[in-house]
């Protein structure tokens, strides 16, 4: 919880999010943003996920942003086709946010640490700016157990309570509009849609885009936006950003972990984040039933040494009955055990959702670009971490996945 000092800082900062707000990190008297030392250019010149899609009418919306303020729409790539490049219209995004009275935020369905952590961090920063803010994600609406420690959840509303046609909406960590599930319609009807994302498979949707496939996490882009809004990091905002950064770097193990990532992590720790708390919540706790489900999944694992051009594939499947009543969102960590297999470049966990579809979590050790493989199956993600949803027999999906893996070593 915020103490009185932090509350005072937030109240003062709210007035600074107007048109005259400085954008220096924490130095509120500076005339403008300081030079960056983390490779991010200033003033918009910086260069450089998937679950089942699930709109219900929402309530009235009041905002100070006229509709149609975004740039002309551009042709979108097909869902999952990839090919995103850096588009960072910082000035326009900040202008729109400063002019709005109410802002709707949405992240992808069944949110992970980066999606929910980034969204809640931004929601709290917007509240510090004096904005009315609603945050949500499409059905199934429920915060995964491992993310219930994140601050700011009092700002979450069920998707049915989101405005049907928001005047200003911000999408976070969604590579395509379908990833917004039941909120995709609201995104289509929004007067302006700002997209914040770091997936190479991003389809190019949205009118104002803060998209950088080279960013380690959407949290990296959200932190930059918060800085440009002139909001200093407090512990609660930093906690959401740190959860996003740690999640999408695999606890700082993936190649996306650059010196700039560690610089950002250091700033978040300085703001009060306790890394042992985040690590415990994300990776080091589970109910006893999880151990039994994990044991069964590993017992059913199959190693195909000749797959992927001889690099190897290891996979397992977890049907609904195999879960023993364990909620679907508790299965996330099983892929991290399977991917340790020395004999396999690619690891896949096939998980049956409550509605009978299958979600495929895939990981590679870097030799195979899984974002391209999963994009061909209407999914997406990153080179070493991707996924897709399948509505038919699991064996059929595995056959298609094997055929898409490179056949040469």
């Amino acid at each position: 919880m915020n103490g009185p000092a932090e509350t005072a800082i937030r109240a003062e900062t709210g007035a600074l999010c107007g048109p005259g707000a400085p954008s220096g990190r924490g130095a509120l008297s500076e005339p403008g943003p300081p030079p960056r030392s983390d490779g991010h250019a200033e003033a918009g010149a910086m260069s450089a996920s998937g679950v089942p899609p699930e709109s219900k009418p929402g309530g009235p919306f009041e905002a100070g942003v006229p509709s149609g303020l975004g740039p002309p729409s551009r042709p979108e790539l097909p869902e999952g086709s990839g090919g995103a490049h850096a588009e960072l219209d910082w000035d326009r995004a900040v202008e729109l946010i400063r002019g709005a009275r109410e802002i709707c935020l949405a992240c992808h369905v069944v949110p992970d640490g980066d999606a929910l952590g980034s969204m809640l961090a931004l929601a709290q920063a917007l509240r510090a700016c004096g904005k009315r803010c609603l945050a949500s994600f499409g059905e199934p609406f429920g915060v995964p157990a491992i993310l219930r420690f994140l601050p700011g959840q009092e700002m979450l509303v069920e998707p049915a309570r989101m405005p049907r046609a928001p005047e200003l909406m911000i999408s976070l960590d969604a590579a395509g509009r379908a990833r917004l599930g039941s909120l995709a319609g609201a995104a289509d009807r929004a007067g302006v849609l700002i997209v914040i994302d770091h997936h190479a498979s991003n389809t190019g949707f949205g009118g104002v885009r803060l998209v950088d496939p080279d960013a380690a996490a959407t949290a990296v882009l959200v932190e930059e936006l918060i800085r440009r809004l002139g909001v200093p990091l407090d512990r609660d905002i930093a906690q959401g950003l740190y959860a996003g950064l740690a999640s999408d770097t695999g606890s700082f193990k993936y190649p996306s972990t650059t010196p700039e990532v560690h610089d950002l992590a250091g700033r978040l720790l300085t703001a009060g984040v306790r890394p042992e708390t985040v690590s415990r919540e994300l990776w080091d706790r589970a109910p006893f039933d999880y151990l039994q489900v994990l044991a069964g999944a590993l017992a059913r694992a199959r190693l195909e040494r000749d797959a992927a051009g001889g690099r190897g594939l290891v996979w397992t499947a977890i049907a609904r009955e195999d879960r023993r009543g364990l909620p679907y969102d508790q299965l996330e960590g099983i892929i991290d055990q399977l991917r340790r297999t020395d004999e396999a470049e690619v690891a896949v966990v096939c998980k049956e959702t409550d509605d009978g579809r299958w979600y495929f979590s895939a990981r590679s050790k870097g030799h195979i670009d899984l974002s391209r493989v999963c994009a061909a199956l209407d999914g997406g993600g990153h080179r070493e971490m991707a996924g897709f949803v399948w509505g038919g027999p699991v064996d059929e999906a595995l056959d298609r996945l094997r055929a898409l893996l490179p056949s040469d070593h």
Side-chain angles (χ1 to χ4, degrees):
M1 299 293 294
N2 292 334
E6 286 182 345
T7 302
I9 290 174
R10 282 174 174 263
E12 291 176 4
T13 308
L16 291 169
C17 289
S23 54
R25 177 179 292 108
L28 299 181
S29 63
E30 293 180 4
R36 296 296 299 256
S37 60
D38 57 2
H40 290 68
E42 295 298 337
M46 185 170 86
S47 67
S49 112
V51 278
E54 303 296 333
S55 184
K56 302 180 182 177
F61 181 87
E62 297 176 8
V65 182
S67 61
L69 287 181
S73 60
R74 61 177 65 75
E76 281 189 38
L77 298 168
E79 290 288 346
S81 63
H85 59 278
E87 297 180 72
L88 294 149
D89 196 352
W90 295 112
D91 292 345
R92 189 62 175 142
V94 169
E95 176 188 9
L96 289 166
I97 290 170
R98 286 177 177 164
R101 288 181 294 172
E102 183 174 78
I103 301 171
C104 294
L105 308 181
C107 65
H108 65 67
V109 293
V110 192
D112 56 12
D114 192 26
L116 189 61
S118 296
M119 181 170 72
L120 292 178
L122 181 58
Q124 293 173 92
L126 294 175
R127 182 172 61 186
C129 289
K131 308 299 179 183
R132 291 194 299 271
C133 185
L134 301 175
S136 190
F137 49 88
E139 291 88 356
F141 183 75
V143 175
I146 64 171
L147 299 178
R148 290 175 189 162
F149 74 100
L150 290 174
Q153 293 183 46
E154 70 279 3
M155 303 180 71
L156 290 174
V157 300
E158 294 185 357
R161 293 179 56 196
M162 292 283 273
R164 184 175 183 276
E167 202 68 28
L168 178 60
M169 186 170 180
I170 302 178
S171 164
L172 296 106
D173 204 45
R177 67 182 68 241
R179 300 291 183 261
L180 297 175
S182 60
L183 291 175
D188 286 337
R189 293 185 291 268
V192 182
L193 177 64
I194 299 174
V195 171
I196 308 177
D197 186 40
H198 73 126
H199 291 91
S201 55
N202 190 281
T203 62
F205 75 113
V208 178
R209 292 168 51 78
L210 304 177
V211 176
D212 186 357
D214 289 339
T218 293
V220 173
L221 301 169
V222 170
E223 188 269 346
E224 175 70 8
L225 178 60
I226 290 172
R227 184 185 77 85
R228 288 170 179 267
L229 288 169
V231 180
L233 295 176
D234 65 16
R235 182 187 58 203
D236 287 352
I237 293 174
Q239 183 121 311
L241 295 173
Y242 189 89
L245 193 63
S247 294
D248 268 26
T249 59
S251 191
F252 306 99
K253 293 183 296 189
Y254 297 158
S256 58
T257 306
T258 62
E260 293 75 29
V261 164
H262 282 298
D263 287 344
L264 174 53
R267 296 197 296 275
L268 300 175
L269 295 181
T270 299
V273 172
R274 297 183 63 88
E276 70 275 16
T277 298
V278 176
S279 177
R280 170 173 164 74
E281 295 291 342
L282 290 179
W283 295 291
D284 296 338
R285 59 179 298 181
F288 181 75
D289 285 347
Y290 170 82
L291 300 180
Q292 297 178 304
V293 173
L294 172 62
L298 296 180
R300 291 188 298 275
R302 296 292 179 266
L303 175 63
E304 301 180 12
R305 297 175 184 270
D306 294 333
R311 292 188 184 275
L313 165 69
V314 62
W315 63 272
T316 191
I318 306 169
R320 279 178 292 183
E321 57 267 25
D322 297 326
R323 286 197 255 144
R324 301 169 176 261
L326 193 71
Y328 175 85
D329 63 56
Q330 294 275 357
L331 305 179
E332 185 67 26
I334 292 177
I335 185 65
D336 293 317
Q337 301 301 318
L338 205 66
R339 70 190 295 268
R340 300 171 63 182
T341 306
D342 284 338
E343 297 89 347
E345 162 70 16
V346 177
V348 175
V349 174
C350 321
K351 301 171 289 188
E352 189 178 14
T353 63
D354 290 337
D355 62 3
R357 288 179 287 182
W358 289 86
Y359 180 62
F360 284 65
S361 294
R363 302 289 186 270
S364 83
K365 296 188 170 87
H367 297 289
I368 293 175
D369 185 352
L370 289 178
S371 67
R372 294 181 177 274
V373 173
C374 291
L377 295 166
D378 296 325
H382 308 284
R383 181 179 181 88
E384 297 183 337
M385 178 175 60
F388 65 94
V389 179
W390 191 259
V394 66
D395 290 343
E396 182 180 325
L398 283 167
D399 286 342
R400 292 195 58 183
L401 185 144
R402 291 186 193 96
L404 289 166
L405 294 174
S407 57
D408 57 325
H409 196 295

